[in-house]
Amino acid sequence: MSIISLFTLMGAMLLLAIVPGPGVFAIIARAFSSGFSRGVAMTMGMLVADYLFIVLALFGLSALSTVMGTAFIVIKYVSAVYLIWLGYKLLSSRATKMDVEANAQSSLKSSFMTGLIVTLGNPKAILFYVGFFPAFVSIDTVSVFDAGLIMLAATVAFGSVNLGYAFMAVKAKGIFKSSNTFNVINKTAGSIMVSTGVLVAVKG
């Protein structure tokens, strides 16, 4: 794989990452409601899903997507329901002063799994790796080293952008300290989560 192909692929990944979609909205909501570390955990989950797609693409994701079409649809709707459920929990919660601090203790594992599920069920990610990805990579000649470089490119592109969104969400949250304003944060984040779940479900 040439350096030009690698950087072209990374540029395409950056553009894909920057365009707001279910993953971006989910990261903003989680970082806004639970802090930057939860945004990091969600980003890690998303990257693991991207690594899985890369491996599948190198072994013929196009063929697998035909065979596993139903599985992809199931994953898509499971992720949508999960996001809506997370949003409902935020919308139905009411914070006290103690909850403001306790909310920071929300599970890193939960954030990681949310990121993983959102990306696995994201039609944009699936279409990229099935259709667009092979345009940059010669599947027949790719080596293990090339695969490692592709994963590194994905880490830099998707990881940096997602962490940037999480950081901005936390900065936007910084001015809110009281339990009343924290309730506003929960409602805002919950609304984003529910909207993201609906977006995942209806987007083809």
Side-chain angles (χ1 to χ4, degrees), residues 30 78-92 110 114 190 193-194 197:
R30 180 52 63 92
V78 167
S79 66
V81 170
Y82 183 57
L83 284 171
I84 292 171
W85 176 73
L86 289 176
Y88 170 76
K89 285 185 66 179
L90 286 170
L91 286 170
S92 60
S110 170
T114 301
M193 280 287 193
V194 171

Side-chain angles (χ1 to χ4, degrees), residues 37-56:
S37 63
R38 273 54 186 174
V40 173
M42 185 174 285
T43 297
M44 296 284 289
M46 290 179 170
L47 285 174
V48 169
D50 283 315
Y51 297 156
L52 290 174
F53 278 133
I54 289 170
V55 170
L56 287 174

Side-chain angles (χ1 to χ4, degrees), residues 9 13 54 57-58 127-137 139 150:
L9 174 61
M13 288 177 170
I54 289 170
L58 296 179
L127 289 174
F128 176 77
Y129 288 108
V130 171
F132 200 47
F133 182 69
F136 297 92
V137 182
I139 304 298
I150 294 168

Side-chain angles (χ1 to χ4, degrees), residues 83-105:
L83 284 171
I84 292 171
W85 176 73
L86 289 176
Y88 170 76
K89 285 185 66 179
L90 286 170
L91 286 170
S92 60
S93 67
R94 181 163 183 81
T96 64
K97 288 184 179 180
M98 292 181 64
D99 291 331
V100 172
E101 296 299 326
N103 191 69
Q105 304 303 316

Side-chain angles (χ1 to χ4, degrees), residues 151-169:
M151 289 183 180
L152 177 61
T155 302
V156 172
F158 295 120
S160 61
V161 171
N162 287 337
L163 289 178
Y165 277 120
F167 181 76
M168 288 188 291

